[in-house]
Amino acid sequence: MLTRKLLAEFIGTALLLAAVVGSGIMGVMLSPGNTGVALLANAAATAGALYVLIVLFGPVSGAHFNPVVTLAMWLRKDLGGREAAAYVLVQLVAAIVGVLLAHAMFDLPLLQPGTHVRSGAAQWLSEGVAAFGLLLTILLGLRHRPAAVPALVASYIFAAYWFTASTSFANPAVTLARSLTRTFAGIRPADVAGFVLAQVVGALAAVPIAAKLDATAAES
């Protein structure tokens, strides 16, 4: 059973990163010099891929594809410690594989440490907000509209690409993997730690708030 879940997490995370990085490359190729169009293409492709992947793999593994989602599920006791650790390890490896796959599809050097500067208080705040909102979307969606979770998550990420200064990585595995590309979706390796810390803080803040909102709804 765990093997099947881990396979789903691996495939889903790898394909998600291939979509994120690949659509960024294609967006820049087709609209050189037009960052807005490239970001629109990147956001739309990511949201579309997320919807499909959550629908396909949600019934198998829960479709986390994200260590802070797995962390939240462990805190809620929906996952055991061993299972959660395995999920996170697979997500990290699969995310890197997805970036390498995107590079290979566009005939780019497979390993290319990122150079895109993403640092500072505004970027960190953006990542905290992005992760906080994503976890609220998932946790409250599972409670109130479970069938709508794929559309809710895809819609939130599409919007967060545009309303956050960081373009909403909201995922430590995604952040680490994107430090291995110099393309549109990249981030400097030196900036990864700040992003991951902000994402973890945002996710940890969302868990008790979601629980409180659930309790409030149950009392009314």
Side-chain angles (χ1 to χ4, degrees), residues 37-53:
V37 172
L39 182 60
L40 180 61
N42 196 202
T46 301
L50 265 174
Y51 178 83
V52 172
L53 294 171

Side-chain angles (χ1 to χ4, degrees), residues 146-170:
V149 166
L152 292 172
V153 171
S155 298
Y156 177 80
I157 290 298
F158 183 88
Y161 257 76
W162 287 90
F163 76 72
T164 63
S166 62
T167 66
S168 183
F169 285 42

Side-chain angles (χ1 to χ4, degrees), residues 117-128 165-166 188 190-191 194-195 198:
V117 178
R118 300 181 189 266
S119 186
Q123 294 280 312
W124 300 328
L125 176 61
S126 294
E127 279 304 293
S166 62
R188 288 188 312 176
D191 297 333
F195 266 47

Side-chain angles (χ1 to χ4, degrees), residues 190-212:
D191 297 333
V192 168
F195 266 47
V196 170
L197 179 59
Q199 291 157 4
V200 171
V201 170
L204 290 176
V207 172
I209 291 176
K212 177 64 175 175

